[in-house]
Amino acid sequence: MHNKLRIVKEKISLQIEIILAVYAFLASYASVSDEIAQKDYEIINSFIPKISKYFQTISNNIFENIIIVVLIVILFYYVNTKIKKRYSKKQCLVFGIFAFVCATSLFVGKFFDEYNSTSEFSGTIQIIKIIMILIGYTIFFYKLVYLGMAIIEKVGTINSDHEGVFALPKTARGMMLVLIIGWIPTIWAYYPSIFMGDTEDILYMAFNYKTSLAETVTLLCPDSFITNHHPIIYTYFLGGVIRCVRYLGGTDNLGAFVCAMIQCLITARVISGSCLYCARELNKNFFAKFILIFAVLCPYIPKYTIMLSKDTIFADAIVYYSIKLHSILKNKKMNTMVQLLLSAIVITLFRKNGIYIVIISFVFLLFIYKTDWKKWGLCIGIIILIQVSWNNLTLPICGVSQGSIREALSIPFQQTARYVKTYGDEVTIEEREAIDKVLVYDMLDDVYNPNLSDLVKATYRKDATSNSLKEYFIVWGKMFIKHPVTYIVASLNNYYGYFYPVVNNLHKIYDTSVGSMSNANRDSYFNFSNIYKRSHTWGRDLIAFYDMLWMKIPILNLFTTSAFYVWLVLWGLMHSIVKRDRKEFMFMIVYVLLILTALAGPCNAINYERYIYSCILAAPIIVCMINIGNENEEYINEP
């Protein structure tokens, strides 16, 4: 009798779960007006019109409804009846937290993508509806996580020692050759290279020409227009190569091409090293081949490889660092330790957020691998010493000015701008004056863009003193107390694309390149140009068509969303915690920290994938790490 009662409860529970999940996917977030809810009822003040609001928001698209219902029913019944694996309460708790984060991200992303406001949150019925939607999404993702873990355990047994469709090259040079050959169409079509928005400023600073960035700071030397806004090493790299090519009689196009090819070789070497590590150290030939194929076919990688941008080498360094970190935890070789430290230094020198990624990852090592605390502590000390010496000694001696502090204040500046736009009539004269000492107050309402804080940051006054900033943050805090939701919404609106899948426009990369190349030529200091011979234009058109396929074909277009790569990393983090695998956990922490620092940047990922390009480059390696399994002695004490 007790057993039958338990079965009945499980069936009823499953039906409720299905209903909530279906409702979450079919319900509109928009509130239903009282007039619409009451128009078919005679007693308009009864509970019936109120309850009807929950159903009025459900879509009437019969075909869409049937598909969603069928898929959810199949998923839920399959997970409940076919998957026999059971997890501990702590592991299920991790699943639940991950599922809730997924549910919240989907809700917030869809909300901003459709409404871009907070007006839909008002009203008791609307709040209850939102809670029901979040519960439904959470249940759905919980089932999906359960299914995903079962699939991973099945796929994790793949260890293709046989050659399969094609044989994996045995050496790094062989793999590099495969990659370069695979990238030739992109290299040919976009000769001399691909530019991005920052390229012209980097080139101008490399030759000490004045840029708008020089006007945002107080220069150390009036005759030196170079700032540390972009990494100095990369600036000198571009400038040095182009100067050498000019000296030898070559054109600026040839100089840009040489820079792009050097980056190609570096990226190819890092990817080939990743393949070798998966094949030799992890005994996963299948995934080594996957890394190679993905690096050739993914439209982002060949484009970024020849892009004159600090992000290319930074991403190479991140991938190299994460692999060496996993390697040293696995093999404990001293030469790997030196490589790890060198790659960490490169990371800190090529992006300002790199110092946080490296230092915090070593702090995690101090707590997780306590027996080697001296080694990790020494690494932290060396990296901090180099960073301080570089920024506070070497650069000032060379006359290089530090970048503007505004770059670190994207979040509060964006929140202030949204507050002024929404509640400008509530801002007092004292508050206005305090803000105006740091930002041009009168411009904030006009320049505010929910997905991009660059225009707000551009109003920053370079002569703002530390006292001015102090007064600003006091006002910022007071405004937060008055309208905290506005601040939260401003940040969510600016970053939801990191978690909500929106297909990015791959064509934008070339469009931006054309504009940036034109800007670099604006003062006749340089002479860059794409090649418009028929073979090159045909090549670009074919690649544009190839990009379009990636953006339009279902499932494949997931790989053109920034959110896919963010969630891949978060899945890897969850998997490492559930499996209590310290090496996998530390590997994933590198990319988690990268994502967290990206969330302090100015751009929404629906427009800009470059801040998480490292995750794109590392995607197949992350998949491999999730599937390599565990070693008993590497468990963390608690998930």
Side-chain angles (χ1 to χ4, degrees), residues 161-194:
D161 292 326
H162 61 280
E163 296 297 348
V165 178
F166 69 93
L168 189 72
K170 303 300 182 184
T171 64
R173 290 180 181 177
M175 294 180 186
M176 289 176 67
L177 182 62
V178 171
L179 290 168
I180 297 297
I181 292 173
W183 294 339
I184 282 177
T186 302
I187 295 170
W188 169 263
Y190 296 108
Y191 179 90
S193 62
I194 291 177

Side-chain angles (χ1 to χ4, degrees), residues 414-558:
Q414 188 78 336
Q415 291 168 338
T416 297
R418 185 159 186 136
Y419 186 100
V420 170
K421 189 173 186 69
T422 309
Y423 298 104
D425 55 337
E426 297 183 16
V427 178
T428 66
I429 295 174
E430 292 78 12
E431 291 172 339
R432 179 188 179 118
E433 290 176 350
I435 295 170
D436 198 57
K437 289 179 182 178
V438 177
L439 303 170
V440 181
Y441 183 91
D442 291 334
M443 295 178 63
L444 295 181
D445 189 359
D446 295 329
V447 301
Y448 174 70
N449 181 336
N451 293 308
L452 181 67
S453 64
D454 277 340
L455 296 177
V456 174
K457 288 192 303 179
T459 69
Y460 177 77
R461 299 183 187 275
K462 70 175 182 179
D463 57 350
T465 63
S466 56
N467 284 334
S468 299
L469 283 168
K470 183 179 178 181
E471 291 176 15
Y472 163 77
F473 276 110
I474 291 173
V475 170
W476 175 85
K478 290 178 178 178
M479 288 178 166
F480 173 74
I481 293 172
K482 290 180 183 177
H483 297 287
V485 174
T486 300
Y487 276 36
I488 295 169
V489 169
S491 296
L492 292 176
N493 206 156
N494 203 169
Y495 301 115
Y496 73 86
Y498 283 96
F499 303 96
Y500 181 70
V502 177
V503 174
N504 288 4
N505 185 2
L506 285 165
H507 298 152
K508 189 176 181 180
I509 295 175
Y510 176 62
D511 294 339
T512 301
S513 178
V514 172
S516 182
M517 195 175 285
S518 176
N519 288 337
N521 296 333
R522 65 183 179 271
D523 296 314
S524 301
Y525 295 141
F526 303 101
N527 185 23
F528 298 105
S529 65
N530 288 115
I531 305 302
Y532 291 96
K533 292 180 180 177
R534 190 172 180 80
S535 57
H536 288 270
T537 54
W538 261 105
R540 288 194 290 270
D541 282 353
L542 287 172
I543 291 174
F545 178 75
Y546 179 73
D547 292 344
M548 183 271 296
L549 295 179
W550 276 73
M551 291 187 288
K552 295 297 182 181
I553 296 177
I555 305 299
L556 192 62
N557 60 6
L558 264 178

Side-chain angles (χ1 to χ4, degrees), residues 81-82 84 147 324 435 554 607 615:
T81 59
K82 299 297 182 182
K84 304 300 181 183
L147 177 64
K324 290 303 173 183
I435 295 170
N607 300 316
C615 298

Side-chain angles (χ1 to χ4, degrees), residues 29 105-117 451 492-493 496-497 500-503 604 606-607:
Y29 297 173
S105 300
L106 180 58
F107 174 80
V108 170
K110 187 176 178 182
F111 180 81
F112 283 116
D113 213 36
E114 292 186 9
Y115 302 109
N116 193 27
S117 71
N451 293 308
L492 292 176
N493 206 156
Y496 73 86
Y500 181 70
V502 177
V503 174
N604 200 336
I606 60 174
N607 300 316

